Amino acid sequence: MTTQTILPVESEALRALSESNNEPGWLTEQRLEALKLASGLALPKLEKQKIERWNVSEYGTYKASEAIASLEDVPASIKDLVKDQAEGSLVIQRNSGTVYSKISADLAAKGVIFTDLATAVREHSDLVKPYLNTAVKPDEHSLAALHAALWNGGVFLYVPKNVKIEVPLQAVLLTDDASATFAPHVLVVAEANSSVTYVDNYVSGELSSPVFHNGVVEVFVKAGAKVRFASVHQLSTSVTDVSFRRAVVENDGSIEWIVGEMNNGDTASNTMTVLNGNGSSSDSKVIAVGSGSQKLNYTTQARHFGKNTPSQMITRAVMREEASAIINGITKIEKGATKADGQQTEKVLMLSPKARGDANPILLIDEDDVTAGHAASVGQVNVEQIHYLMSRGINRTDAERLIIYGFLAPVVADIPLEALRTQLQSLIERKLGQ
């Protein structure tokens, strides 16, 4: 039976909003079609959790955001994240819209485009239209359709052929008005033989009532291109965070995902790489810390279509207090994807008797000439390790901290960005109450 979705906005109001924002006609129609689709689609299915019990309806309403002239004027909640970005390329979204956008003159001269997506659809429609909502399609489920109808602000990054960017491009996406829609869409297109590192942070300020973040990321990696995509989510208990990330990789291209799930509210994310091209590759690293009564659901996927395509997925999660997590790893090797190699590891460490963790490695293989493997573990902190460290003069709190850091270290140490490693370390300490 099809579940009826209650729409947060009427079609005529959506059309009027799109037109008032001077969006091109094709986007207005795309939004309206997605809204129509949403009414007949069900919510996405989460493994062993019921998303319909979550807050997935508090969209708020679209509110125009006032631009800031200088980074000195940014809200206090994100000052530390942007304090060193005065000379760099940076996009800041606050609630429904972008308040700051800057790209260095050097990158602009090379043809790089780094701006908010709302501006890009008006000024670079020919580059946006072929890709928008084609990796995460609106007809997949009601949340994908509603996102396609209601997305706002967001980020557009375009890297021309053969352009190699050495310095990371950064974005900060902030929600601090519970009555405003917060549904950014991030779209990255890396042309042939280009390379880029993109880093974003999702942050919340003081919120008077619940907020639902329905976010989508689409990354298109052309032949021989290399994209490193890093994202840290540190939203408060008032925010329910559902994020769908997807990369489509062509011949000899590569995508590296680095995801830090440090939210305090219920969270579901799906990070998928589609390896279409021969020799394409994917490396996904996900770190998560759950606390309180959080319900967490993380899925990492790799779909192999091309030949000689390696994929690696590593997820490590620490659960404390009464937090519960479902960790899914899915490797799908399609018929014809010879010499594919899919490897995955999921590990959950529980710090409390009431914490729960479930690791589900899944291999779906339709081709014989391939390599695939998985490892999964769920367990409590090793009491013998704690006693050993305490026998060496270390107190129990510090002993547990060392064990936790040792558990996360293989992933954290492999992150090639020093600033991101430092930030994640700080967030881990905060979430663990240390």
Side-chain angles (χ1 to χ4, degrees):
M1 185 177 71
T2 302
T3 301
Q4 187 74 17
T5 296
I6 299 175
L7 301 180
V9 64
E10 294 182 354
S11 59
E12 288 309 309
L14 182 61
R15 178 187 293 277
L17 177 60
S18 181
E19 292 176 349
S20 69
N21 285 334
N22 297 315
E23 293 182 344
W26 65 264
L27 179 55
T28 302
E29 295 309 312
Q30 188 180 92
R31 287 187 184 278
L32 292 170
E33 181 60 29
L35 186 68
K36 182 179 177 181
L37 272 174
S39 64
L41 294 173
L43 289 165
K45 300 294 185 183
L46 298 186
E47 184 74 21
K48 299 181 181 180
Q49 289 177 335
K50 296 184 180 296
I51 193 172
E52 57 268 23
R53 295 179 180 175
W54 296 15
N55 166 33
V56 292
S57 60
E58 299 288 346
Y59 279 93
T61 57
Y62 176 86
K63 292 185 177 181
S65 300
E66 185 176 347
I68 59 174
S70 165
L71 292 182
E72 295 179 357
D73 301 325
V74 300
S77 55
I78 62 172
K79 274 191 180 295
D80 287 345
L81 294 173
V82 303
K83 62 183 179 181
D84 299 322
Q85 292 301 308
E87 302 301 322
S89 300
L90 176 67
V91 172
I92 300 175
Q93 175 169 341
R94 186 176 190 183
N95 301 310
S96 300
T98 300
V99 297
Y100 184 89
S101 179
K102 179 181 179 181
I103 183 171
S104 69
D106 176 58
L107 292 181
K110 294 177 180 179
V112 176
I113 301 170
F114 185 54
T115 186
D116 63 282
L117 185 57
T119 295
V121 295
R122 294 191 296 267
E123 299 181 0
H124 307 284
S125 187
D126 58 324
L127 295 176
V128 175
K129 185 179 179 181
Y131 300 102
L132 184 64
N133 298 320
T134 62
V136 179
K137 295 180 171 56
D139 61 2
E140 294 185 16
H141 45 70
S142 64
L143 294 188
L146 284 173
H147 174 88
L150 302 174
W151 69 263
N152 50 52
V155 178
F156 179 64
L157 170 58
Y158 176 82
V159 187
K161 182 178 179 180
N162 297 324
V163 172
K164 302 187 185 304
I165 302 175
E166 303 297 333
V167 179
L169 306 182
Q170 300 198 45
V172 177
L173 303 109
L174 168 68
T175 173
D176 61 1
D177 181 351
S179 65
T181 304
F182 182 61
H185 187 113
V186 178
L187 177 59
V188 178
V189 180
E191 296 285 9
N193 299 311
S194 64
S195 65
V196 65
T197 295
Y198 166 85
V199 181
D200 64 28
N201 273 271
Y202 288 73
V203 186
S204 56
E206 292 186 12
L207 294 166
S208 57
S209 57
V211 168
F212 173 46
H213 167 245
N214 179 0
V216 167
V217 170
E218 297 182 298
V219 182
F220 296 87
V221 185
K222 301 297 184 167
K226 300 183 184 304
V227 175
R228 178 182 293 154
F229 191 107
S231 186
V232 178
H233 288 227
Q234 46 179 313
L235 299 166
S236 71
T237 54
S238 298
V239 183
T240 298
D241 180 4
V242 179
S243 299
F244 301 95
R245 309 180 189 97
R246 199 162 299 172
V248 180
V249 189
E250 298 184 6
N251 291 347
D252 299 313
S254 69
I255 176 75
E256 179 180 3
W257 298 103
I258 303 167
V259 180
E261 298 282 12
M262 299 293 154
N263 288 332
N264 290 301
D266 294 341
T267 303
S269 70
N270 186 307
T271 304
M272 176 192 290
T273 300
V274 181
L275 296 167
N276 276 343
N278 297 334
S280 57
S281 64
S282 173
D283 183 359
S284 304
K285 304 177 183 72
V286 180
I287 300 174
V289 178
S291 59
S293 58
Q294 277 185 280
K295 294 177 178 60
L296 310 172
N297 193 296
Y298 305 124
T299 298
T300 310
Q301 299 187 63
R303 292 194 66 186
H304 297 250
F305 290 92
K307 298 176 171 59
N308 299 291
T309 50
S311 70
Q312 167 105 339
M313 300 184 294
I314 299 174
T315 302
R316 295 213 171 188
V318 176
M319 297 294 108
R320 62 190 294 253
E321 299 168 340
E322 298 180 20
S324 63
I326 306 295
I327 310 295
N328 307 299
I330 304 172
T331 302
K332 178 72 164 69
I333 300 179
E334 305 289 348
K335 184 67 177 177
T338 55
K339 306 298 183 183
D341 182 6
Q343 304 294 328
Q344 56 170 286
T345 303
E346 296 87 36
K347 294 187 177 183
V348 184
L349 181 64
M350 296 177 292
L351 306 184
S352 162
K354 293 184 178 181
R356 294 289 180 268
D358 192 354
N360 304 299
I362 300 170
L363 300 178
L364 304 171
I365 302 173
D366 291 333
E367 179 59 58
D368 294 330
D369 187 14
V370 301
T371 304
H374 64 74
S377 67
V378 177
Q380 303 278 351
V381 174
N382 190 308
V383 176
E384 292 182 358
Q385 291 178 341
I386 292 176
H387 287 165
Y388 174 81
L389 291 171
M390 291 177 67
S391 72
R392 295 298 186 269
I394 300 173
N395 64 46
R396 176 177 288 275
T397 300
D398 288 342
E400 289 184 349
R401 177 172 56 83
L402 289 172
I403 291 170
I404 293 165
Y405 290 162
F407 174 76
L408 296 175
V411 179
V412 176
D414 204 28
I415 295 173
L417 302 172
E418 182 179 356
L420 187 59
R421 286 200 306 272
T422 301
Q423 183 193 4
L424 281 173
Q425 189 77 17
S426 175
L427 289 171
I428 289 168
E429 291 177 357
R430 187 187 309 169
K431 284 226 67 179
L432 294 173
Q434 298 166 347

